[in-house]
Amino acid sequence: MATFLYKLGRLSFRRRHVVALIWVALLTLAGVGAAGAPAAGNSSFSIPGTEAQKAFDLLEQRFPGTSADGATARVVFKAPSGEKMTDPGNKATVQDTVEELSDGSEVVRVTDPYQAKAVSKDGTIAYAQVSYKVSGMELDDAAKDALKDSAQDARKAGLTVEIGGDALQAVPHTGSSEVIGIAVAAVVLVITFGSLVAAGLPLLTALIGVGIGVSAITGLASALDLGTTTSTLAMMIGLAVGIDYALFIVSRYRAELAEGREREEAAGRAVGTAGSAVVFAGLTVVIALVGLSVVNIPMLTKMGIAAAGTVAIAVLIALTMVPALLGYAGRKVKPMGEKGKLLGRAKKEQDRPAKPNLGTRWASFVVRRPLAVLLLGVIGLGAAAVPATSLELGLPDDGSQPTSTTQRRAYDLLSEGFGPGFNGPLMVVVDAKNSDDPKAVFTETGDEIKGLKDVVTVTPAQPNKAGDTATITVVPGSKPSSVTTENLVHGIRDAGADIKADTDANVLVTGSTAMNIDVSEKLNDALVPYLVLVVGLAFLLLIVVFRSILVPLKAALGFLLSVMAALGAVVAVFQWGWLSGLMGVEQTGPVMSMMPIFMVGVVFGLAMDYEVFLVTRMREAYVHGEKPAQAVVTGFRHGARVVTAAAVIMMAVFAGFIGSSESMVKMIGFGLAIAVFFDAFIVRMAIVPAVLALLGRKAWWLPKWLDRALPNVDVEGEGLRTRTDRGDEDRELVRA
């Protein structure tokens, strides 16, 4: 592989005009496709195999035209102090609003609060529910404007009016903090390279890669039903790995220049050595992201595949576009050890004695005190992971919105007037098609549910035209995200199993609350198989890369430590409320149900990035004759500075998404940023060298039979070294 990539690097350097033209053409093509494509909607949220999804599908069949998965809006009215919603003036205002809302072309129906008994017991709060034919993200702007205008008209009459539900769902934005993250990355690159040109190369190539990836996602969003969050996460991961991969290539290029090689040769060797690490690091990230498909949640699968595609583009750009741009930069990219005028040192400091860099000094300290460093790192991460034992999972509702939004204020008004469970009603679907007396089954089901704990209201069964299926609305006494409500859902399903045994009727529980519970359980059940698949495949890949059993095992165990510590930090901030004000978390609650499995996938891929980049330099030194302890120090001397810069950049990019208005993006941005910190600076920079120092030569042990069976991918560039050294000897003979 090293030889092939060496040739690719030299070719890209030499044919830089063609390479640059190809990537610019791809960017232009993707941009044109994105500009002409229909706007992305909200990805349809279907969870195959869950009871809630089966109930939704049954409703579509038995209640045609009801748009069970269409958008809903709850227009909540509150009377002025000292007045009631039943007062003639207030009642007239509400009825005018209901009539106005009914005129929309996408409206299925609007309930009148006074006919539907949707007035609180104290008479101060009422609500009208609006049902639409399409989802919230598919609603026309005219429909949303009409909803807002009707509320504004009621406000002018003196009522407090807020709108809840998903009808006003908006495209999430990330805010200025994303730009700050990129700015921090630029500063780190300038400090690392001491040159604006060298620092600009990774940023430029990463932006080109992300531009192609996100534009392609935008162009295909409507055809493939990709949600708006898909492109945001692809941009987040693509930016981080794109900058890092280019950073490693440019750093190795400067190191090769420092050894006196010509620029084309240095580019070829940089791609042949560091490029091999980029390929395998990228493969681990792609495996982790594509592996999300085992969860069998279409939205999560699409997010993973889209992000994996962006990572693949980042790898290809690092291997081709980076050496091409190095050819354009020429002498503006200095050899390692030679700083540009930007930092005040224009010449290489050859006259001064070589001073060990910080990475060398740190590695030497760890090698001398490996056990103490190992214990300190493990205990520290273990302490950070403690909050993860209190992890509660759920999906966000309007209760997690900022208090400045009308959705959150409507949520609070409904809780005040009708109780916390009113914001998460359960829909029970009774399929009595195979029973002898459907009406009796509907009555029996309602009576059974009334006898369960935490039930506030059970509406009479509403049968379809055929009379074989009915819906029953159940209002819990607890808020939607509570454990008590989850227990109620399981209680109804248990009662439904008894009813089925007696009457052969199916009782299904659905609605957004039940769907959230089913999603959380599905993700929990999939976590272990996902870990086995992803870690297993990456473990086999790393055996091929490092030709060792213990090094990949240590890499996997270190990852588990860092991801558990990161989950602990997420629980502490988003569930317990620690530093929540600093992070812009206005409402604490359960952690996003897909957060753990998504974090596992992404963090594993990124953790293996640092493992590959750092340990391949150690492996390279070891196979070239250095003792194990010295190889650890050599690896840090060459790689610690660059890995540190890469980690800081990745943290800055991820942290930039904490400013997102989308709670899922905010949580993932924080989780990934803190996970990178734990993994890069504690696991890879402390625990890894400590373990390697303790293991000595055993770290690189591989059974002879396995050594013969494994393909030789030559990540260390041994074949490349032999090839170029032979070429140097031939050139010397020609000169002689």
PDB file of all heavy atoms in Angstrom, residues 596-620:
ATOM      1  N   PRO A 596     -26.074   7.551  23.029  1.00  0.00           N
ATOM      2  CA  PRO A 596     -25.016   6.591  23.365  1.00  0.00           C
ATOM      3  C   PRO A 596     -24.508   5.815  22.168  1.00  0.00           C
ATOM      4  O   PRO A 596     -23.295   5.705  21.963  1.00  0.00           O
ATOM      5  CB  PRO A 596     -25.686   5.663  24.393  1.00  0.00           C
ATOM      6  CG  PRO A 596     -26.759   6.494  25.002  1.00  0.00           C
ATOM      7  CD  PRO A 596     -27.254   7.362  23.890  1.00  0.00           C
ATOM      8  N   ILE A 597     -25.412   5.282  21.346  1.00  0.00           N
ATOM      9  CA  ILE A 597     -24.966   4.452  20.228  1.00  0.00           C
ATOM     10  C   ILE A 597     -24.294   5.298  19.154  1.00  0.00           C
ATOM     11  O   ILE A 597     -23.320   4.872  18.526  1.00  0.00           O
ATOM     12  CB  ILE A 597     -26.137   3.629  19.651  1.00  0.00           C
ATOM     13  CG1 ILE A 597     -25.588   2.442  18.856  1.00  0.00           C
ATOM     14  CG2 ILE A 597     -27.078   4.473  18.816  1.00  0.00           C
ATOM     15  CD1 ILE A 597     -26.617   1.379  18.597  1.00  0.00           C
ATOM     16  N   PHE A 598     -24.778   6.528  18.950  1.00  0.00           N
ATOM     17  CA  PHE A 598     -24.127   7.398  17.971  1.00  0.00           C
ATOM     18  C   PHE A 598     -22.750   7.819  18.472  1.00  0.00           C
ATOM     19  O   PHE A 598     -21.781   7.847  17.701  1.00  0.00           O
ATOM     20  CB  PHE A 598     -24.998   8.628  17.711  1.00  0.00           C
ATOM     21  CG  PHE A 598     -24.541   9.439  16.527  1.00  0.00           C
ATOM     22  CD1 PHE A 598     -24.922   9.073  15.252  1.00  0.00           C
ATOM     23  CD2 PHE A 598     -23.727  10.538  16.699  1.00  0.00           C
ATOM     24  CE1 PHE A 598     -24.487   9.807  14.149  1.00  0.00           C
ATOM     25  CE2 PHE A 598     -23.293  11.270  15.608  1.00  0.00           C
ATOM     26  CZ  PHE A 598     -23.680  10.913  14.325  1.00  0.00           C
ATOM     27  N   MET A 599     -22.649   8.115  19.758  1.00  0.00           N
ATOM     28  CA  MET A 599     -21.353   8.486  20.316  1.00  0.00           C
ATOM     29  C   MET A 599     -20.368   7.325  20.226  1.00  0.00           C
ATOM     30  O   MET A 599     -19.194   7.514  19.888  1.00  0.00           O
ATOM     31  CB  MET A 599     -21.506   8.932  21.776  1.00  0.00           C
ATOM     32  CG  MET A 599     -20.184   9.312  22.424  1.00  0.00           C
ATOM     33  SD  MET A 599     -20.367   9.751  24.163  1.00  0.00           S
ATOM     34  CE  MET A 599     -21.025  11.390  24.011  1.00  0.00           C
ATOM     35  N   VAL A 600     -20.850   6.126  20.519  1.00  0.00           N
ATOM     36  CA  VAL A 600     -19.983   4.952  20.424  1.00  0.00           C
ATOM     37  C   VAL A 600     -19.423   4.830  19.008  1.00  0.00           C
ATOM     38  O   VAL A 600     -18.218   4.614  18.811  1.00  0.00           O
ATOM     39  CB  VAL A 600     -20.761   3.673  20.807  1.00  0.00           C
ATOM     40  CG1 VAL A 600     -20.018   2.422  20.350  1.00  0.00           C
ATOM     41  CG2 VAL A 600     -20.973   3.616  22.315  1.00  0.00           C
ATOM     42  N   GLY A 601     -20.294   4.987  18.007  1.00  0.00           N
ATOM     43  CA  GLY A 601     -19.849   4.846  16.629  1.00  0.00           C
ATOM     44  C   GLY A 601     -18.829   5.886  16.229  1.00  0.00           C
ATOM     45  O   GLY A 601     -17.750   5.560  15.716  1.00  0.00           O
ATOM     46  N   VAL A 602     -19.132   7.148  16.483  1.00  0.00           N
ATOM     47  CA  VAL A 602     -18.248   8.220  16.043  1.00  0.00           C
ATOM     48  C   VAL A 602     -16.965   8.250  16.860  1.00  0.00           C
ATOM     49  O   VAL A 602     -15.856   8.346  16.315  1.00  0.00           O
ATOM     50  CB  VAL A 602     -18.972   9.581  16.126  1.00  0.00           C
ATOM     51  CG1 VAL A 602     -18.026  10.714  15.754  1.00  0.00           C
ATOM     52  CG2 VAL A 602     -20.184   9.589  15.217  1.00  0.00           C
ATOM     53  N   VAL A 603     -17.082   8.152  18.181  1.00  0.00           N
ATOM     54  CA  VAL A 603     -15.898   8.245  19.034  1.00  0.00           C
ATOM     55  C   VAL A 603     -14.961   7.070  18.777  1.00  0.00           C
ATOM     56  O   VAL A 603     -13.738   7.225  18.805  1.00  0.00           O
ATOM     57  CB  VAL A 603     -16.301   8.314  20.528  1.00  0.00           C
ATOM     58  CG1 VAL A 603     -15.079   8.230  21.418  1.00  0.00           C
ATOM     59  CG2 VAL A 603     -17.057   9.599  20.795  1.00  0.00           C
ATOM     60  N   PHE A 604     -15.514   5.895  18.520  1.00  0.00           N
ATOM     61  CA  PHE A 604     -14.630   4.766  18.239  1.00  0.00           C
ATOM     62  C   PHE A 604     -13.791   5.044  16.995  1.00  0.00           C
ATOM     63  O   PHE A 604     -12.582   4.806  16.978  1.00  0.00           O
ATOM     64  CB  PHE A 604     -15.429   3.481  18.055  1.00  0.00           C
ATOM     65  CG  PHE A 604     -14.559   2.288  17.817  1.00  0.00           C
ATOM     66  CD1 PHE A 604     -13.912   1.669  18.867  1.00  0.00           C
ATOM     67  CD2 PHE A 604     -14.355   1.802  16.543  1.00  0.00           C
ATOM     68  CE1 PHE A 604     -13.084   0.582  18.651  1.00  0.00           C
ATOM     69  CE2 PHE A 604     -13.540   0.719  16.311  1.00  0.00           C
ATOM     70  CZ  PHE A 604     -12.903   0.105  17.369  1.00  0.00           C
ATOM     71  N   GLY A 605     -14.464   5.549  15.955  1.00  0.00           N
ATOM     72  CA  GLY A 605     -13.711   5.856  14.745  1.00  0.00           C
ATOM     73  C   GLY A 605     -12.644   6.906  14.979  1.00  0.00           C
ATOM     74  O   GLY A 605     -11.495   6.759  14.532  1.00  0.00           O
ATOM     75  N   LEU A 606     -12.984   7.972  15.713  1.00  0.00           N
ATOM     76  CA  LEU A 606     -12.016   9.036  15.970  1.00  0.00           C
ATOM     77  C   LEU A 606     -10.902   8.564  16.906  1.00  0.00           C
ATOM     78  O   LEU A 606      -9.736   8.942  16.739  1.00  0.00           O
ATOM     79  CB  LEU A 606     -12.739  10.249  16.573  1.00  0.00           C
ATOM     80  CG  LEU A 606     -13.850  10.847  15.699  1.00  0.00           C
ATOM     81  CD1 LEU A 606     -14.470  12.047  16.395  1.00  0.00           C
ATOM     82  CD2 LEU A 606     -13.314  11.244  14.343  1.00  0.00           C
ATOM     83  N   ALA A 607     -11.248   7.736  17.883  1.00  0.00           N
ATOM     84  CA  ALA A 607     -10.233   7.209  18.802  1.00  0.00           C
ATOM     85  C   ALA A 607      -9.201   6.393  18.042  1.00  0.00           C
ATOM     86  O   ALA A 607      -7.995   6.473  18.312  1.00  0.00           O
ATOM     87  CB  ALA A 607     -10.900   6.363  19.882  1.00  0.00           C
ATOM     88  N   MET A 608      -9.668   5.615  17.086  1.00  0.00           N
ATOM     89  CA  MET A 608      -8.729   4.815  16.302  1.00  0.00           C
ATOM     90  C   MET A 608      -7.864   5.693  15.405  1.00  0.00           C
ATOM     91  O   MET A 608      -6.751   5.315  15.040  1.00  0.00           O
ATOM     92  CB  MET A 608      -9.480   3.780  15.477  1.00  0.00           C
ATOM     93  CG  MET A 608     -10.207   2.728  16.305  1.00  0.00           C
ATOM     94  SD  MET A 608      -9.169   1.869  17.520  1.00  0.00           S
ATOM     95  CE  MET A 608      -9.671   2.694  19.047  1.00  0.00           C
ATOM     96  N   ASP A 609      -8.364   6.879  15.035  1.00  0.00           N
ATOM     97  CA  ASP A 609      -7.531   7.834  14.293  1.00  0.00           C
ATOM     98  C   ASP A 609      -6.240   8.113  15.055  1.00  0.00           C
ATOM     99  O   ASP A 609      -5.134   7.972  14.526  1.00  0.00           O
ATOM    100  CB  ASP A 609      -8.281   9.155  14.109  1.00  0.00           C
ATOM    101  CG  ASP A 609      -9.185   9.127  12.892  1.00  0.00           C
ATOM    102  OD1 ASP A 609      -9.301   8.055  12.284  1.00  0.00           O
ATOM    103  OD2 ASP A 609      -9.771  10.175  12.568  1.00  0.00           O
ATOM    104  N   TYR A 610      -6.390   8.538  16.304  1.00  0.00           N
ATOM    105  CA  TYR A 610      -5.217   8.891  17.097  1.00  0.00           C
ATOM    106  C   TYR A 610      -4.351   7.667  17.381  1.00  0.00           C
ATOM    107  O   TYR A 610      -3.127   7.747  17.414  1.00  0.00           O
ATOM    108  CB  TYR A 610      -5.659   9.556  18.410  1.00  0.00           C
ATOM    109  CG  TYR A 610      -6.463  10.802  18.182  1.00  0.00           C
ATOM    110  CD1 TYR A 610      -7.756  10.923  18.669  1.00  0.00           C
ATOM    111  CD2 TYR A 610      -5.948  11.849  17.441  1.00  0.00           C
ATOM    112  CE1 TYR A 610      -8.506  12.059  18.428  1.00  0.00           C
ATOM    113  CE2 TYR A 610      -6.689  12.988  17.199  1.00  0.00           C
ATOM    114  CZ  TYR A 610      -7.968  13.089  17.696  1.00  0.00           C
ATOM    115  OH  TYR A 610      -8.705  14.207  17.449  1.00  0.00           O
ATOM    116  N   GLU A 611      -5.008   6.533  17.595  1.00  0.00           N
ATOM    117  CA  GLU A 611      -4.256   5.298  17.828  1.00  0.00           C
ATOM    118  C   GLU A 611      -3.383   4.982  16.617  1.00  0.00           C
ATOM    119  O   GLU A 611      -2.191   4.680  16.757  1.00  0.00           O
ATOM    120  CB  GLU A 611      -5.236   4.147  18.088  1.00  0.00           C
ATOM    121  CG  GLU A 611      -4.575   2.822  18.375  1.00  0.00           C
ATOM    122  CD  GLU A 611      -3.999   2.735  19.770  1.00  0.00           C
ATOM    123  OE1 GLU A 611      -4.341   3.591  20.612  1.00  0.00           O
ATOM    124  OE2 GLU A 611      -3.196   1.817  20.014  1.00  0.00           O
ATOM    125  N   VAL A 612      -3.972   5.059  15.437  1.00  0.00           N
ATOM    126  CA  VAL A 612      -3.219   4.734  14.226  1.00  0.00           C
ATOM    127  C   VAL A 612      -2.094   5.735  13.995  1.00  0.00           C
ATOM    128  O   VAL A 612      -0.946   5.356  13.753  1.00  0.00           O
ATOM    129  CB  VAL A 612      -4.168   4.689  13.004  1.00  0.00           C
ATOM    130  CG1 VAL A 612      -3.382   4.612  11.700  1.00  0.00           C
ATOM    131  CG2 VAL A 612      -5.104   3.493  13.115  1.00  0.00           C
ATOM    132  N   PHE A 613      -2.401   7.030  14.086  1.00  0.00           N
ATOM    133  CA  PHE A 613      -1.387   8.045  13.792  1.00  0.00           C
ATOM    134  C   PHE A 613      -0.230   8.016  14.783  1.00  0.00           C
ATOM    135  O   PHE A 613       0.926   8.198  14.407  1.00  0.00           O
ATOM    136  CB  PHE A 613      -2.028   9.435  13.784  1.00  0.00           C
ATOM    137  CG  PHE A 613      -2.887   9.686  12.587  1.00  0.00           C
ATOM    138  CD1 PHE A 613      -4.200  10.095  12.735  1.00  0.00           C
ATOM    139  CD2 PHE A 613      -2.394   9.499  11.315  1.00  0.00           C
ATOM    140  CE1 PHE A 613      -5.004  10.320  11.628  1.00  0.00           C
ATOM    141  CE2 PHE A 613      -3.191   9.722  10.195  1.00  0.00           C
ATOM    142  CZ  PHE A 613      -4.504  10.136  10.357  1.00  0.00           C
ATOM    143  N   LEU A 614      -0.525   7.792  16.048  1.00  0.00           N
ATOM    144  CA  LEU A 614       0.515   7.830  17.074  1.00  0.00           C
ATOM    145  C   LEU A 614       1.303   6.524  17.125  1.00  0.00           C
ATOM    146  O   LEU A 614       2.540   6.523  17.152  1.00  0.00           O
ATOM    147  CB  LEU A 614      -0.123   8.122  18.434  1.00  0.00           C
ATOM    148  CG  LEU A 614       0.805   8.543  19.575  1.00  0.00           C
ATOM    149  CD1 LEU A 614       1.559   9.802  19.202  1.00  0.00           C
ATOM    150  CD2 LEU A 614      -0.003   8.775  20.845  1.00  0.00           C
ATOM    151  N   VAL A 615       0.596   5.405  17.125  1.00  0.00           N
ATOM    152  CA  VAL A 615       1.263   4.120  17.336  1.00  0.00           C
ATOM    153  C   VAL A 615       1.973   3.644  16.076  1.00  0.00           C
ATOM    154  O   VAL A 615       2.951   2.894  16.168  1.00  0.00           O
ATOM    155  CB  VAL A 615       0.247   3.075  17.848  1.00  0.00           C
ATOM    156  CG1 VAL A 615       0.907   1.723  18.079  1.00  0.00           C
ATOM    157  CG2 VAL A 615      -0.382   3.553  19.154  1.00  0.00           C
ATOM    158  N   THR A 616       1.530   4.055  14.880  1.00  0.00           N
ATOM    159  CA  THR A 616       2.263   3.645  13.683  1.00  0.00           C
ATOM    160  C   THR A 616       3.683   4.215  13.683  1.00  0.00           C
ATOM    161  O   THR A 616       4.619   3.561  13.206  1.00  0.00           O
ATOM    162  CB  THR A 616       1.543   4.102  12.398  1.00  0.00           C
ATOM    163  OG1 THR A 616       1.179   5.472  12.515  1.00  0.00           O
ATOM    164  CG2 THR A 616       0.337   3.252  12.117  1.00  0.00           C
ATOM    165  N   ARG A 617       3.862   5.427  14.238  1.00  0.00           N
ATOM    166  CA  ARG A 617       5.229   5.974  14.338  1.00  0.00           C
ATOM    167  C   ARG A 617       6.056   5.165  15.325  1.00  0.00           C
ATOM    168  O   ARG A 617       7.260   4.963  15.126  1.00  0.00           O
ATOM    169  CB  ARG A 617       5.182   7.453  14.762  1.00  0.00           C
ATOM    170  CG  ARG A 617       4.600   8.402  13.751  1.00  0.00           C
ATOM    171  CD  ARG A 617       5.249   8.301  12.374  1.00  0.00           C
ATOM    172  NE  ARG A 617       6.639   8.702  12.375  1.00  0.00           N
ATOM    173  CZ  ARG A 617       7.101   9.864  11.920  1.00  0.00           C
ATOM    174  NH1 ARG A 617       6.263  10.737  11.417  1.00  0.00           N
ATOM    175  NH2 ARG A 617       8.382  10.138  11.928  1.00  0.00           N
ATOM    176  N   MET A 618       5.417   4.693  16.402  1.00  0.00           N
ATOM    177  CA  MET A 618       6.135   3.818  17.346  1.00  0.00           C
ATOM    178  C   MET A 618       6.477   2.486  16.680  1.00  0.00           C
ATOM    179  O   MET A 618       7.593   1.975  16.817  1.00  0.00           O
ATOM    180  CB  MET A 618       5.269   3.567  18.584  1.00  0.00           C
ATOM    181  CG  MET A 618       4.886   4.806  19.361  1.00  0.00           C
ATOM    182  SD  MET A 618       3.813   4.377  20.760  1.00  0.00           S
ATOM    183  CE  MET A 618       3.260   6.006  21.263  1.00  0.00           C
ATOM    184  N   ARG A 619       5.498   1.931  15.965  1.00  0.00           N
ATOM    185  CA  ARG A 619       5.727   0.671  15.253  1.00  0.00           C
ATOM    186  C   ARG A 619       6.833   0.828  14.211  1.00  0.00           C
ATOM    187  O   ARG A 619       7.690  -0.044  14.035  1.00  0.00           O
ATOM    188  CB  ARG A 619       4.420   0.247  14.584  1.00  0.00           C
ATOM    189  CG  ARG A 619       4.534  -0.896  13.591  1.00  0.00           C
ATOM    190  CD  ARG A 619       4.669  -2.215  14.268  1.00  0.00           C
ATOM    191  NE  ARG A 619       4.790  -3.299  13.296  1.00  0.00           N
ATOM    192  CZ  ARG A 619       5.119  -4.536  13.607  1.00  0.00           C
ATOM    193  NH1 ARG A 619       5.349  -4.862  14.870  1.00  0.00           N
ATOM    194  NH2 ARG A 619       5.199  -5.455  12.682  1.00  0.00           N
ATOM    195  N   GLU A 620       6.823   1.962  13.525  1.00  0.00           N
ATOM    196  CA  GLU A 620       7.843   2.239  12.515  1.00  0.00           C
ATOM    197  C   GLU A 620       9.232   2.262  13.151  1.00  0.00           C
ATOM    198  O   GLU A 620      10.188   1.682  12.615  1.00  0.00           O
ATOM    199  CB  GLU A 620       7.530   3.581  11.847  1.00  0.00           C
ATOM    200  CG  GLU A 620       8.423   3.936  10.679  1.00  0.00           C
ATOM    201  CD  GLU A 620       8.009   5.237  10.013  1.00  0.00           C
ATOM    202  OE1 GLU A 620       6.861   5.662  10.207  1.00  0.00           O
ATOM    203  OE2 GLU A 620       8.835   5.822   9.301  1.00  0.00           O
TER     204      GLU A 620
END
